[in-house]
Amino acid sequence: MQRKSDEFYMKKCIELALLGKGQVSPNPMVGCVVLDKNGEIISTGYHKKYGEFHAERNALINTDTAKTEEGTIFVNLEPCSHWGKTPPCTDIIIEKKIKKVVIGMQDVNPKIDGISVLKNAGIEVVTGVLENECKFLNRVFIKNITENLPYVVLKTATTMDGKISTQNGDSKWITSEESRAEVYKMRKEFDCIMTSSNTVIADNPTMEHRFKCIADTNNKISKDSKILSQGKIYHATKYNTPLKDGHLDLRAVLTELYKQGACSVLVECGGTMAGAMLKEGLIDEIYQFIAPKILNDNTGKSCFNGDSVNQISQTTKLTIYDTQIVSDDLLVKSIVRKP
């Protein structure tokens, strides 16, 4: 019964945490619920913006100690225990005389030791409540800290038979105007947009965004390309990036993007680069818009074209976690399963 109650409040923490989506990077999304000693909610908070107070401090700072004493707080991520841009959250938890802290997941940042600090202060700590859901919420942050790489989402738009264009490159338009509008909104959730020189040359897109990366091994795009007209540009070529088998080392490109502050990257490209990134294990998620159209021509260009496979057992496995109808199209969001 207690576990069900803990999960109820942890779900509220996750809902609160999502209110900070797009505003807190490179920090994780965190929500907090505070109960008094009688089990009544007396305060909530979430991390609203990078550089500002964390969820626990927002929830507790204006709450009287008389109300919080002997109370319980729920938080989806282990409270921080060190000074950064803001004071340690463990300090205010102790100051407010909280008796019990329920945590969704431990922090993957080795600098954080909040659980030990709280236990040493005599506070009861419960961990692992809705742990998988809490890890999924902050999957971008987890990859950043554990791999020093951005979280990579590949966006593609295809016919039902997986084609992104005809054999001569005609692709306007496979999906609906509403789906294209959805992509514009998606881009705002990412720190960087990445594309290939082939896409720039074929479509001459603007891809309006504050930070864009073009993978262009031989530096062949035109200086008049629309994509260069706006935003910060990282133009990856053989002159500033290591090569692998005669092409850009795409892991090295992503490493550089992370160094430049990109915690998340949305990749919009053709089948060649998409296939290469998939083969290298560089894609974490796929957003696939599927239009109710069939090209019915195997000479058409596929959304992934980077490997030679003889057995179905060699396919890349995905886990679908969300589907949406966008006008006439289907948007499928899936996690790429790592071998």
Side-chain angles (χ1 to χ4, degrees), residues 296-310:
N296 195 26
D297 181 355
N298 276 338
T299 65
K301 296 181 181 179
S302 298
C303 52
F304 293 97
N305 184 23
D307 209 347
S308 177
V309 175
N310 296 315

Side-chain angles (χ1 to χ4, degrees), residues 125-261:
V125 178
V126 175
T127 61
V129 177
L130 295 185
E131 184 175 19
N132 290 337
E133 290 86 342
C134 292
K135 286 181 176 179
F136 183 75
L137 171 71
N138 278 311
R139 56 198 183 278
V140 173
F141 172 75
I142 291 171
K143 186 182 182 188
N144 293 165
I145 297 298
T146 59
E147 299 185 38
N148 290 315
L149 283 170
Y151 193 86
V152 179
V153 176
L154 185 284
K155 189 280 299 180
T156 188
T158 73
T159 60
M160 289 187 72
D161 49 345
K163 302 300 180 182
I164 58 173
S165 76
T166 60
Q167 54 85 24
N168 64 353
D170 182 48
S171 63
K172 292 183 173 58
W173 293 102
I174 290 175
T175 53
S176 64
E177 185 176 346
E178 290 83 355
S179 289
R180 298 195 297 278
E182 186 67 22
V183 173
Y184 298 147
K185 289 192 289 185
M186 280 178 179
R187 288 174 181 165
K188 295 177 182 178
E189 297 179 5
F190 293 83
D191 297 325
C192 179
I193 304 298
M194 182 175 175
T195 192
S196 67
S197 56
N198 287 344
T199 297
V200 172
I201 292 168
D203 299 337
N204 195 23
T206 302
M207 288 188 177
E208 189 168 315
H209 197 270
R210 60 188 177 275
F211 184 22
K212 294 175 282 193
C213 171
I214 306 158
D216 181 13
T217 303
N218 295 308
N219 193 24
K220 62 184 181 181
I221 68 167
S222 168
K223 292 181 180 179
D224 297 323
S225 300
K226 291 180 181 178
I227 197 168
L228 301 176
S229 66
Q230 177 273 333
K232 174 185 173 182
I233 307 292
Y234 179 63
H235 188 188
T237 71
K238 63 184 178 183
Y239 303 109
N240 61 9
T241 305
L243 298 182
K244 184 175 182 179
D245 299 326
H247 300 282
L248 292 182
D249 183 338
L250 294 170
R251 181 177 289 274
V253 175
L254 293 173
T255 298
E256 179 60 31
L257 293 179
Y258 187 63
K259 288 178 182 178
Q260 294 194 27

